[in-house]
Amino acid sequence: MKKLWKEENGSILVLTTICLTVIIGMAGFAVDYGKLASTKQDMQNAVDAAALAGAMDLGNKLTFTTIRSTSSSYLNVNGYEEDGNTNFEVSVLGDTVTVKVQKEVNVGFSAVLTHKNTQTVVAEATAEVTSIFGTGPYAMFAGQKIEDGGDGITINGNNIYIDGNIHSNSDINMPKAVLSSGSVATAVGNTSPSSSGWNKGAITLDMPSYKSLKNAVTSTCKQVTFDSSVKKNSKTGFQELINEAVSKYQTKYGGQGYKTQGLYIYINGDLTFNGNSSTAYNAEFPIILTVKGDINLNGATLNSTEACPIDVISETGSIEVNGGGAEFFGLVYAPNGDVTINGNNANFVGSIYAQNIYKNGGKINVTYHDGADAFLPKSKVHLIN
């Protein structure tokens, strides 16, 4: 019995069999896992594309039926059609489109242990449609690159308060400025001040695309057009412009839809207001004013609110504001020119985007607000999940 107990012949075969079983099992699980992981990645790519396409339709104000059809077509092109093993859901909530796909995938070795011949793979994506300003919130943004001779953001004087992030693709020169707690100033070049929160050596960022905005306005908005430059010398010049635009709107479209959707105005030339004693204009509904060339607001104070913002846009030129006292809510956007503000006691709530931004004179407050672009058409999509 002792001899038999100590007999080792055949033990190698037993150990080898056990090891091979384990190795083969691990290999089988690896193959199944690899197959499931590959399917998951492929599905994720498909739902990402489908959600982005659906969000673009949402921005174009198309129906849910069309949004779902577009998303489905992107899934089909990528090999996912609804059948016994695959189903998908498309949902719309606010400015977002969510696409979810579930697929039953056949497995091999792991079925021995799980007693299931298939495993469920799920992929989901949510895309949001925003205005061209997207989710990159800036109180001020200067786009001209330092290598192209950009000045960036230059503000002279005292009593300068910035509540929100700012960025310059060249320099920031506003030595007397106060940056609110939690806000950050970034510049590709140098910053003045150079204390905490003021950071030089940043990366270059792209200016939001005017072309995308123009296409969206043309395709989705009711716009009235002035065929040539507009110049107003009277004290109520801006009110006169708005009255003329409303008349054009009612003649072309009828009704008063502009009061809720915004009054979109396009001037095919320059816009000039003269007169330091002009009567302040108080917005009574949202206004999106786009001028092909330069905009000169001389003494024409524009007062607006979150409910009734004013967006002032120059397509190819610059924007110059002379005179103080403005309580302005909205956007000032000159993608191919500069913005210059002269005067005292200006309060801007929203965003200022231009190649370069200059402020001369006394007190100015600039506060970022994410509702400044609320009435702009949606034309930029991005994944948020």
Side-chain angles (χ1 to χ4, degrees):
M1 291 295 291
K2 291 182 179 179
K3 181 179 180 181
L4 182 61
W5 184 261
K6 295 180 179 179
E7 181 61 58
E8 296 180 355
N9 292 337
S11 61
I12 298 300
L13 178 61
V14 173
L15 291 173
T16 301
T17 301
I18 294 173
C19 290
L20 284 175
T21 301
V22 173
I23 291 171
I24 293 171
M26 293 177 63
F29 272 112
V31 170
D32 285 347
Y33 177 80
K35 182 179 182 180
L36 294 173
S38 176
T39 301
K40 169 74 172 180
Q41 184 59 58
D42 188 58
M43 286 174 59
Q44 192 63 56
N45 292 338
V47 295
D48 286 352
L52 288 168
M56 186 58 73
D57 277 358
L58 179 62
N60 289 328
K61 300 182 180 179
L62 301 181
T63 64
F64 173 75
T65 300
T66 302
I67 293 170
R68 191 183 193 284
S69 177
T70 297
S71 298
S72 299
S73 67
Y74 271 74
L75 293 174
N76 294 344
V77 166
N78 285 284
Y80 296 95
E81 298 186 17
E82 285 190 296
D83 54 31
N85 292 323
T86 305
N87 62 78
F88 57 80
E89 302 172 6
V90 178
S91 59
V92 175
L93 179 63
D95 292 329
T96 65
V97 173
T98 299
V99 178
K100 181 179 180 180
V101 175
Q102 290 190 169
K103 182 179 178 65
E104 297 298 320
V105 179
N106 293 325
V107 294
F109 184 85
S110 60
V112 175
L113 298 179
T114 64
H115 304 293
K116 294 182 179 180
N117 294 323
T118 63
Q119 291 288 336
T120 303
V121 179
V122 180
E124 182 175 339
T126 299
E128 181 183 31
V129 58
T130 69
S131 79
I132 60 170
F133 299 96
T135 56
Y138 288 102
M140 292 190 290
F141 180 98
Q144 189 169 26
K145 297 177 182 179
I146 193 168
E147 60 265 29
D148 295 331
D151 291 326
I153 303 173
T154 303
I155 299 182
N156 299 314
N158 301 313
N159 297 319
I160 302 162
Y161 181 74
I162 310 298
D163 185 3
N165 297 333
I166 65 177
H167 175 82
S168 169
N169 284 338
S170 48
D171 297 326
I172 295 176
N173 184 19
M174 40 201 298
K176 301 292 181 66
V178 174
L179 195 64
S180 69
S181 175
S183 297
V184 176
T186 55
V188 174
N190 295 313
T191 67
S192 175
S194 58
S195 55
S196 176
W198 302 81
N199 304 314
K200 64 180 182 179
I203 63 172
T204 299
L205 301 177
D206 292 333
M207 174 72 72
S209 169
Y210 173 78
K211 182 179 179 180
S212 177
L213 173 61
K214 184 176 182 179
N215 290 340
V217 169
T218 301
S219 61
T220 65
C221 302
K222 295 179 178 180
Q223 183 172 255
V224 297
T225 301
F226 291 79
D227 295 327
S228 59
S229 296
V230 173
K231 185 175 183 179
K232 300 289 186 180
N233 294 317
S234 65
K235 293 182 178 181
T236 57
F238 201 87
Q239 182 67 68
E240 292 173 13
L241 173 66
I242 299 304
N243 291 344
E244 293 169 14
V246 167
S247 178
K248 285 176 175 286
Y249 180 97
Q250 292 176 336
T251 299
K252 186 174 182 179
Y253 304 109
Q256 298 182 336
Y258 60 88
K259 288 188 175 181
T260 55
Q261 299 171 2
L263 180 61
Y264 287 80
I265 305 170
Y266 183 80
I267 297 175
N268 191 20
D270 299 328
L271 174 64
T272 304
F273 292 100
N274 290 321
N276 291 329
S277 59
S278 293
T279 301
Y281 175 78
N282 297 293
E284 298 178 351
F285 44 79
I287 296 170
I288 298 86
L289 172 62
T290 302
V291 177
K292 184 173 184 179
D294 294 327
I295 300 174
N296 291 283
L297 304 178
N298 299 313
T301 301
L302 305 182
N303 295 328
S304 51
T305 63
E306 181 177 357
C308 301
I310 300 177
D311 296 337
V312 180
I313 301 167
S314 171
E315 181 178 350
T316 63
S318 295
I319 300 172
E320 184 170 339
V321 180
N322 296 307
E327 295 291 335
F328 183 88
F329 187 105
L331 290 165
V332 179
Y333 177 43
N336 296 295
D338 301 332
V339 167
T340 302
I341 302 170
N342 300 311
N344 298 317
N345 300 324
N347 290 312
F348 287 84
V349 179
S351 297
I352 301 174
Y353 282 75
Q355 290 298 314
N356 299 285
I357 300 171
Y358 305 97
K359 169 65 172 75
N360 301 306
K363 179 180 178 181
I364 181 173
N365 293 330
V366 181
T367 302
Y368 170 76
H369 195 291
D370 60 5
D373 62 350
F375 289 89
L376 290 183
K378 313 296 185 180
S379 60
K380 180 178 180 180
V381 296
H382 66 106
L383 295 170
I384 60 175
N385 178 26

